[in-house]
């Protein structure tokens, strides 16, 4: 109650007169949250991962982006119900295994799970008994790369892996159904 009254008093004492002009700014890249410069000759691959849980199931997704630009998505449905953190662990382990199979040597792993990224960076400890084996497995997989880094990104920068995981979590695939890989094309400009 006191804060509301203080705000009312401030607005009453500092009313807007006819000469007031609102500050109108527009930046072409105002929606950009962060910028990362990767040299063109870099062999760094980026991997984005996410997991999704809903009433129909559990899905995980990962996308690898090579230094030259091609995207390599992967998604799968888990046949077990687990916590959100466990689902995220499954997603980034699937992505790491995929990178190993593609013979990636330098990998930057990005996800919207602050907990898992900070644990992978060694900033936070893993105390959940269910996550300790996952953490150890990530450490073991990390040794198979020349260089591996982990970076937290906001959820809105992780939309494609989230969409893949969500789609896989709600679809039911009977028996041994084969699903063709998803092909993604990236265009630099509109035609």
């Amino acid at each position: 109650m006191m804060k509301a009254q203080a705000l009312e008093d401030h607005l009453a004492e500092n009313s807007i007169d006819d000469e007031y002009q609102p500050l109108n700014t527009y930046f072409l890249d105002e929606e950009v949250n962060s910028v990362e410069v990767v040299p063109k000759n870099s062999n760094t691959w980026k991997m984005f991962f996410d997991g999704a849980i809903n009433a129909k199931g559990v899905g995980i997704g990962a996308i690898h982006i090579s230094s030259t630009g091609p995207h390599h998505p992967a998604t799968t449905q888990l046949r077990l119900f687990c916590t959100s953190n466990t689902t995220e662990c499954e997603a980034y382990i699937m992505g790491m295994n995929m990178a190993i199979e593609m013979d990636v040597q330098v990998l930057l792993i990005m996800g919207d799970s602050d907990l898992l990224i900070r644990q992978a960076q060694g900033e936070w400890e893993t105390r959940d008994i269910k996550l300790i084996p996952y953490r150890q497995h990530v450490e073991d997989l990390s040794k198979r790369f020349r260089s591996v880094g982990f970076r937290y990104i906001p959820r809105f920068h992780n939309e494609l892996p989230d969409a893949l995981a969500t789609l896989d979590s709600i679809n039911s695939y009977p028996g041994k159904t084969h699903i063709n890989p998803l092909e993604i094309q990236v265009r630099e400009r509109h035609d």
Side-chain angles (χ1 to χ4, degrees), residues 5 10 55 57 60 96:
Q5 186 61 48
H10 175 76
I60 59 176
M96 290 179 81

Side-chain angles (χ1 to χ4, degrees), residues 52-81:
I53 301 173
N54 57 46
K56 290 193 169 200
V58 179
I60 59 176
I63 296 176
H64 295 82
I65 303 173
S66 76
S67 55
T68 57
H71 290 54
H72 304 272
T75 183
T76 192
Q77 188 176 62
L78 302 179
R79 295 185 184 250
L80 57 108
F81 284 94

Side-chain angles (χ1 to χ4, degrees), residues 186-191:
V186 179
R187 290 188 172 172
E188 295 297 320
R189 60 186 174 87
H190 298 287
D191 291 332

Side-chain angles (χ1 to χ4, degrees), residues 93-111:
I93 287 172
M94 177 189 71
M96 290 179 81
N97 282 325
M98 186 177 162
I100 290 167
E101 288 174 15
M102 295 186 322
D103 200 28
V104 172
Q105 294 298 310
V106 181
L107 182 64
L108 176 59
I109 300 172
M110 294 183 270

Side-chain angles (χ1 to χ4, degrees), residues 148-168:
V148 64
F150 298 88
R151 183 172 302 151
Y152 168 78
I153 58 171
R155 179 168 286 175
F156 61 87
H157 283 303
N158 208 29
E159 291 174 333
L160 192 51
D162 179 56
L164 291 172
T166 301
L167 283 172
D168 224 347

